[in-house]
Amino acid sequence: MGRAMIVSAGANSNEYLSARLNELGYARPVIVPSGTEARRRMLEADFELIIVNAPLPDEFGHELCAAAVDQTDAGVILLAKAAACDSLMGPMNAQGVLVVSKPFSGALFLQTVHMAAASNHRLQRLRAENDRIQAKLAQVRLVSRAKCLLIEHKGLTEAEAHRAIEKEAMDSRRDRGEVAQEIIDTLDSDAGDSV
């Protein structure tokens, strides 16, 4: 399992939450007493799970949860008394924070942690897919730019330029993006020399 952070000022709560997380495979969760310290830790490390036990000494905790959702891929859980949960449930759920009313059962806590971890894994998969698509788009842009330069400077047709890039990539066992970048570097510098 990944790393977990507990943001809580209560020693008894910290022991209970830490023990439950250890049972779930989160070895040595990071325990911090305040929102300020939690924000600093979020900048330093990646967490799969962040549990905020409200209220905190420097803030209630829902602001920290919102910041954690915005700044990390962690599954975020807010533990709060029932009166606060009623007013926070809608806005926090809309932001992607799981809200659990205190006191809670061990089974409910277990289920909530699993849901938060699942959301973290889903976000990581989506981010990896997004990165793959962005890399593919960058390559398409490079190849398109290289084809335009080949058409402009070498008098090739679009199909001939495409074939030339594909052939060079296969012959040199390189990525089309690398070949396109090489063409761009060569033909752009040639165009700059002639000006």
Side-chain angles (χ1 to χ4, degrees), residues 76-166:
V76 181
I77 301 171
L78 174 64
L79 308 175
K81 298 239 183 211
C85 279
D86 291 341
S87 63
L88 289 173
M89 187 80 67
M92 289 288 96
N93 283 344
Q95 292 183 31
V97 176
L98 297 168
V99 180
V100 177
S101 178
K102 297 189 286 189
F104 49 83
S105 68
L108 176 62
F109 182 72
L110 173 74
Q111 183 180 20
T112 305
V113 169
H114 283 302
M115 287 171 54
S119 72
N120 167 263
H121 295 288
R122 184 169 181 248
L123 278 172
Q124 287 179 340
R125 279 196 319 276
L126 289 172
R127 190 169 306 283
E129 178 67 10
N130 186 43
D131 291 345
R132 188 188 67 73
I133 290 170
Q134 291 299 323
K136 186 72 172 167
L137 282 172
Q139 183 185 63
V140 167
R141 285 187 196 105
L142 279 175
V143 169
S144 292
R145 175 78 178 122
K147 286 196 294 191
C148 287
L149 289 171
L150 287 171
I151 291 167
E152 181 181 335
H153 293 281
K154 301 291 186 185
L156 301 179
T157 66
E158 194 273 336
E160 290 170 336
H162 182 80
R163 225 177 357 266
I165 292 170
E166 291 286 329

Side-chain angles (χ1 to χ4, degrees), residues 10-28:
N12 290 341
S13 299
N14 294 349
E15 285 180 35
Y16 175 82
L17 295 171
S18 182
R20 298 298 75 77
L21 290 179
N22 275 313
E23 291 170 5
L24 294 170
Y26 292 95
R28 297 188 324 267

Side-chain angles (χ1 to χ4, degrees), residues 21-44:
L21 290 179
N22 275 313
E23 291 170 5
L24 294 170
Y26 292 95
R28 297 188 324 267
V30 173
I31 301 173
V32 297
S34 69
T36 304
E37 177 68 13
R39 283 179 174 82
R40 188 179 66 74
R41 293 291 182 104
M42 287 189 307
L43 294 174
E44 295 173 353

